[in-house]
Structures are given as C-alpha cells and as structure tokens.
Amino acid sequence: VVSGRREALDALLAELAPEGVAATRLQVSHAFHSPLMEPMLADFRAAIAGLPMRAPTIDIISNLTGRRAGAEIATPDYWVRHVRAAVMFAPGVATLAEAGIDTFIEAGPHPVLLGLGAACVDGGRPLRWLPSMRRGRDEWATLLDSVARLHVAGATIDWQAFDAPWPRAHASLP
C-alpha cells in the first residue's frame, strides 16, 4: 500500500505498469500513511495522549509491522506512527495465513481489501474471503450470505444471539 500526492502516485503507477504491476485505488478522505499527514501529527498526539490504552488481550496484527502487536500498541507513539507510516498489509495477511487463519471477513461498506488480501497469499490451501456488506447490495442479504458460508464451512454460529433483537416465528417444514 502506498499513499501520497496524486501526481506522485500517477507517476509511480506509470513507471510500474510496463512491469505488469497493477494497482487498485482506494477511495479515502485523506492521504493517510504518507508525508501529507505530517501537519496534523502533533495535534493528533495531543488529542490521544489522555486516552486510556492497554495492551491487547487478543492477537492483533499490526499494520506497522505486519506482525503480532504487543504492548507498544497501547501508546500514543504507536498511533502517531500508524497515521504516518506505510501500511504493511501484505505482510499482515501473510502473518495471518501462516498462523493458520483460513477465513477473512472485511467489516466495512465495500470489501475492496478482500481482493487485495487474496492477492497477497499463494493458493496453497483454500481460504475464505467474506464481506460484511457490499455497496449497492442489500446489507442483510450480504451479511446472511457470509454467515451461511461460515456455517457451511463448519463455523459455530450462535444463532440465538445472532437474531436475538427480532421476534421469531416457528414454521413447520416438510
């Protein structure tokens, strides 16, 4: 993942295109993870300095290193570096695949990272790439399709919790 001024990115992509390097542009509001974020870093550090932070209690893969994060993730310095530094997306996906993760779910309105993630690992074993939503498609249909795929793959779904907010009607099936 690279980020920066549009003109610099266009020049980079033009240089890489003859080598067969393809790119997908992400639609974002700011050039995060680039020098263009420098002007806001001091204010950002001040804004988060008083927030309570603690080391993770579950494994988190750091976008700064592509490896498991430790106590460093619970510091303002980490998050300031995160805003400015390059994203280590491919190494992060590789770390997850190496750890035996076989299902990737993108939580967001448009699953552009699923395709990018799939391109980061070889096809040595089957992996599932599931969206939570898809732009222009019914949200529930997309979510239910992914949950159904998880269920069919053997994942345990807590169906009682999944639809607890809604009343149920039991129907006899043939």
Side-chain angles (χ1 to χ4, degrees), residues 45-126:
R45 180 187 304 278
I48 66 172
L51 295 177
M53 297 184 191
R54 61 186 170 102
T57 57
I58 60 170
D59 287 341
I60 295 176
I61 305 303
S62 168
N63 280 337
L64 285 176
T65 66
R67 297 283 172 217
R68 283 188 174 94
E72 77 280 358
I73 201 170
T75 66
D77 284 343
Y78 174 89
W79 293 103
V80 168
R81 286 193 331 270
H82 191 279
V83 166
R84 170 60 180 83
V87 173
M88 297 290 111
F89 182 75
V93 171
T95 294
L96 291 165
E98 290 164 9
I101 302 301
D102 62 5
T103 302
F104 297 79
I105 302 171
E106 183 168 352
H110 191 61
V112 296
L113 297 179
L114 294 179
L116 296 174
C120 292
V121 294
D122 67 26
R125 64 188 173 97

Side-chain angles (χ1 to χ4, degrees), residues 120-162:
C120 292
V121 294
D122 67 26
R125 64 188 173 97
L127 302 175
R128 279 178 292 285
W129 304 90
L130 303 173
S132 62
M133 293 186 280
R134 285 195 183 276
R135 190 174 298 136
R137 294 193 186 163
D138 181 75
E139 292 175 6
W140 271 110
T142 302
L143 180 62
L144 289 173
D145 180 66
S146 289
V147 170
R149 290 172 188 255
L150 287 171
H151 178 70
V152 167
T156 301
I157 309 293
D158 182 348
W159 295 110
Q160 294 287 72
F162 182 80

